[in-house]
Every structure is written in C-alpha cells, then in structure tokens.
Amino acid sequence: MDLFEYDFMLRALTGALIIGLAAPSLGVYLVQRRLSLIGDGIGHVALTGVGVGLLLHRSPVIAAVIVSVIGAVGVELIRQRGRTSGDLALALLFYGGIAGGVVLVGLSNDSSNANLMQYLFGSLVTTSPQDIVVIGVLGVLVLAAMLAFRPALFAVCNDEEYARVSGLPVRTLNLLMAVTAAVTVTIAMRTVGLLLVSALMVVPVAAAQQVTRGFRTTMAAAMVIGVGAAGSGVVVSAEIDTAPGATTVILALAVFVAISVGTATWRVLRRRGTPAHEVEPPDVVLQKV
C-alpha cells in the first residue's frame, strides 16, 4: 500500500520539504558568522512558547513563534548594547528557555510525556492542515528574506565593521537574522524537533562547503541537500517506522560523511597522479658578507 495515499503523509512530506529548503538558506549565514549553535538556544526558548500555548489552550506553534522572536530579539539587543558576549547570551537563552518550558508544560493540562515528545523530537504525522499553512507561509517568508537580502547579510556576516562603514543597517540586519532564526526553529520543530532543529540548519551547509567555493553555490547546494535529506527522512522513517526528525538528521549526516570521504579520496588520488614539479631557482640570492 502506498503510504502517500494518506493525507497526513502528504502533509508530513510537504512540511518537511518546506523546512528542508528554508533552514539551510538561513543556516549558511549562521555558519558564516560562527553562530551554528544559536538554533539550539532558540529551540529551548521555543519550548517555553509551547508551554504557553498548552497552558492557554492556544496553538503551540503560534505561541512558540511569538516567544522565540521575543527571546531572539532580546538576546541580540543585549549582545549589541550590553557587555554580555554572544556565547554568554546564548547560555542564558539555553537555561532560561528550557527551565521556563518545563515549568509551563508541567502546569498545563496537556503535560503528558507523549505530547511533549512531539515537540522535542518532531512528529510530522500529527501535523494538522492549519500547521501546514503556518509552516508554508512562514517558510516562504524566511526563504524570500534570505534571498532578497543576500548581499547585505553576507557583508554583515563576513565583516560587520566593514558593513557598518559601508553604510549598511547592521543592527536591522542582525535583528532580521535573529527573527528569521526564531521563526525557522519554531516551524521546524514539527519536522525534526526542538532538540535537533539546529542540525538541519547546519549540517547541509557543512556538507555543501566540502564541494563548493563561492557563497552563492554553497547556499544553493545546502538547500538541495536539505530538501533531499528532509524528503528522504520522511519516506525512510515511514518505511522502517522510525522518528522522522532523527532519520532526517542521520541522512543529512550521512551525506556529509560521504562527501567528506569522497573529496578526501579525490584529493589523495589527484595528488598521486600529479608529477612532482621541479623547484625553480629564486630570482635573487642573498649571500652572507
């Protein structure tokens, strides 16, 4: 029987493909700026949003988006205006988010472990049509922002001081990345879960960097790898009855390992097949007096 005859599997595949495309498009900027772990921090804050939604009997996805955006913007403002460094701000995000989430989920009526596991590790098969609409709209907005502001965001990620001197609105662009990171994490929690969402933002980029040189080609290759891993993760998990989020991450890691081994082997073979060149004598020879 074809599993994709069921509506819930079609919704699962649609949501996974959207996240697989949007997450690496943002992740390439975060990796360039050495903020690969920010997804984990925002994921912990999103758990607080989930707790708020369950406590108030509202959509946990919408509540997680709102709380995550507020948390990401707050941390970015603290980092820019205060004396708190980036890694310390992320640590505060980690601890405060996970503590608040556990407390609020425990206070809600839907505090069962099964319900909480859906958000921690993903549960695409329980995605409702309303969730797919939210994921689709927000995913398209994230992707459009990353593509439309690519030159300016690349300049900020590569050299923030140079971008500021060039007249770019650095603070606004930093806030844009913080907001889109929060949105991406919260819509991806249905795909890979809050504890694994950062992997889908980082691993495809790391794999693409093994075979690409330019920023544009790295971004395109990472998006292709992300879509492939997300779509394959849904199909494989349905066939072998495993968690879709964990399966997606494992497949993305497998692609990274395969590309790394392949490129390393190619370099070794190419080095052995290249004849050694004679060293040319220097143009100027210094003699001791």
Side-chain angles (χ1 to χ4, degrees), residues 120-236:
L120 291 178
F121 298 102
S123 180
L124 275 173
V125 294
T126 61
T127 304
S128 65
Q130 292 78 14
D131 291 336
I132 290 296
V133 172
V134 174
I135 291 173
V137 172
L138 295 180
V140 169
L141 290 177
V142 169
L143 182 61
M146 295 301 99
L147 295 177
F149 297 100
R150 181 175 57 194
L153 290 175
F154 172 76
V156 172
C157 294
N158 193 48
D159 192 338
E160 186 170 313
E161 294 301 326
Y162 176 79
R164 184 176 287 106
V165 172
S166 301
L168 291 175
V170 174
R171 177 175 298 176
T172 302
L173 293 171
N174 284 331
L175 291 176
L176 174 64
M177 280 192 290
V179 171
T180 51
V183 172
T184 303
V185 167
T186 49
I187 62 177
M189 68 182 179
R190 289 304 240 168
T191 306
V192 293
L194 295 174
L195 297 183
L196 297 174
V197 62
S198 186
L200 199 56
M201 300 166 66
V202 174
V203 176
V205 178
Q209 287 179 335
Q210 305 297 316
V211 292
T212 58
R213 291 295 178 265
F215 183 81
R216 182 180 300 179
T217 54
T218 300
M219 186 177 189
M223 292 165 65
V224 170
I225 295 173
V227 170
S232 301
V234 173
V235 175
V236 172

Side-chain angles (χ1 to χ4, degrees), residues 7-20:
D7 291 338
F8 70 88
M9 286 302 299
L10 292 176
R11 291 196 297 268
L13 183 61
T14 301
L17 293 178
I18 293 173
I19 299 304

Side-chain angles (χ1 to χ4, degrees), residues 74-90 92:
V75 168
E76 181 62 26
L77 293 177
I78 291 174
R79 186 188 68 83
Q80 290 181 3
R81 297 183 179 182
R83 297 181 179 180
T84 306
S85 60
D87 60 339
L88 182 56
L90 283 178
L92 296 175

